Amino acid sequence: MTNGFELHQGRLPLLVSMPHPGTQLTPEIARALTARAQRLEDTDWHIPLLYQPIRELGASVLSARYSRYVVDLNRPADDKPLYSTATTGLFPGTFFDGEPLFEAGKAPDDTTKATILHNIWQPYHQALAQELARLRDTFGYVLLWDAHSIKSVVPRLFEGKLPDLNFGTADGASCAPELSRALLDCCDAFSHYSKVLNGRFKGGYITRHYGAPQQNIHAVQLEVAQCCYMDEMSFAFSEEKSEHFRALLSALINTALAWCDQNLSR
């Protein structure tokens, strides 16, 4: 089993976590998936590419290599549900639309799940915690930005079309409310993108577990509607769409870093 993540250590008090762009499969999972599931359609497509300018700016970036169909790194190890509405768990058994991922009788057994938890889930979270600690020790504070994307229309998960920008702060528990307001205010200059704070997506395990404003760790999840930067049918990255969206993304990150510098510096 190969290393389940890539960690790039940057020079800013910023860690961008990417738990869902991976497309690798373990042999056991690959053999068990349905033909439809082999397309990995629920991937957070192209997130590392979309955030490449943020990495070049100096951010630390932690990016998963394995598919969420192997294990969902944004769920707790005990698989306690994070939402009362429809969702998927630590070891997903269905697509977002509720159809089975695995051929009948071929879903991973408990032994396989335990191996995956030990070899993929735990190392990712160890790396995340260690990088957060390094950055906070260096700067006195750190911004954790949990980067996600999803199809803009998924009837089982939400009604209608999802807003373009879905900020999650665990209902205000994972970062200072003033930081949330600064991010929303930043979006006003990009009014063609719709936005919401703590709507359908309030932040998953990573945001909720690691966000600790009282310890100068401020965590924000951004769930982006994939129509903002790619073709949702073919999964193809769109340079034209992404050019416009990256301008907003850079503005958001710079706004967050400026707020942290002004309010959290030693």
Side-chain angles (χ1 to χ4, degrees):
M1 191 174 290
T2 61
N3 188 10
F5 61 85
E6 177 190 352
L7 174 62
H8 166 78
Q9 291 187 313
R11 60 183 185 276
L12 295 174
L14 168 62
L15 172 59
V16 181
S17 167
M18 304 176 177
H20 295 149
T23 56
Q24 287 185 201
L25 300 169
T26 64
E28 299 86 355
I29 298 296
R31 288 192 296 266
L33 290 175
T34 65
R36 177 190 170 191
Q38 297 286 345
R39 297 183 70 232
L40 308 178
E41 63 187 64
D42 295 328
T43 301
D44 288 16
W45 293 105
H46 310 298
I47 286 293
L49 181 57
L50 185 67
Y51 277 81
Q52 183 63 28
I54 306 305
R55 173 171 169 156
E56 293 171 358
L57 184 69
S60 291
V61 178
L62 179 64
S63 179
R65 290 195 171 110
Y66 280 96
S67 169
R68 70 186 305 154
Y69 292 172
V70 176
V71 63
D72 192 331
L73 299 171
N74 202 26
R75 299 292 184 269
D78 62 6
D79 204 16
K80 183 178 179 180
L82 298 176
Y83 292 96
S84 59
T85 52
T87 187
T88 53
L90 177 66
F91 296 100
T94 67
F95 292 91
F96 289 158
D97 65 12
E99 290 296 317
L101 287 176
F102 298 100
E103 298 285 358
K106 294 186 179 180
D109 59 20
D110 289 345
T111 299
T112 299
K113 291 178 179 179
T115 299
I116 290 171
L117 191 69
H118 182 268
N119 291 336
I120 299 176
W121 190 97
Q122 289 182 1
Y124 186 91
H125 284 275
Q126 289 169 356
L128 197 162
Q130 289 169 2
E131 184 63 6
L132 283 177
R134 182 186 77 85
L135 293 173
R136 189 180 59 176
D137 288 348
T138 300
F139 297 97
Y141 64 92
V142 60
L143 172 65
L144 172 60
W145 190 274
D146 205 37
H148 296 261
S149 73
I150 192 171
K151 289 181 287 188
S152 60
V153 178
V154 186
R156 178 172 172 264
L157 298 187
F158 48 83
E159 294 183 2
K161 187 176 181 181
L162 192 69
D164 296 320
L165 302 164
N166 300 266
F167 295 97
T169 63
D171 286 326
S174 69
C175 81
E178 295 83 4
L179 174 55
S180 298
R181 285 196 292 271
L183 291 170
L184 293 177
D185 289 345
C186 175
C187 294
D188 290 343
F190 302 84
S191 58
H192 51 292
Y193 292 109
S194 56
K195 63 184 182 297
V196 67
L197 173 63
N198 293 315
R200 172 59 181 85
F201 297 101
K202 301 176 185 295
Y205 175 73
I206 290 171
T207 303
R208 303 182 198 200
H209 180 73
Y210 294 99
Q214 68 280 7
Q215 299 173 30
N216 278 349
I217 302 175
H218 293 259
V220 177
Q221 176 178 292
L222 178 59
E223 186 89 53
V224 177
Q226 290 177 343
C227 60
C228 291
Y229 69 92
M230 60 176 276
D231 182 277
E232 294 186 327
M233 297 301 294
S234 68
F235 311 146
F237 188 76
S238 169
E239 291 291 348
E240 181 180 1
K241 289 182 178 180
S242 64
E243 180 181 359
H244 295 289
F245 190 79
R246 279 170 167 165
L248 167 58
L249 190 58
S250 294
L252 288 169
I253 293 295
N254 283 318
T255 294
L257 288 173
W259 184 91
C260 289
D261 182 60
Q262 292 167 9
N263 293 277
L264 305 176
S265 293
R266 289 187 271 205

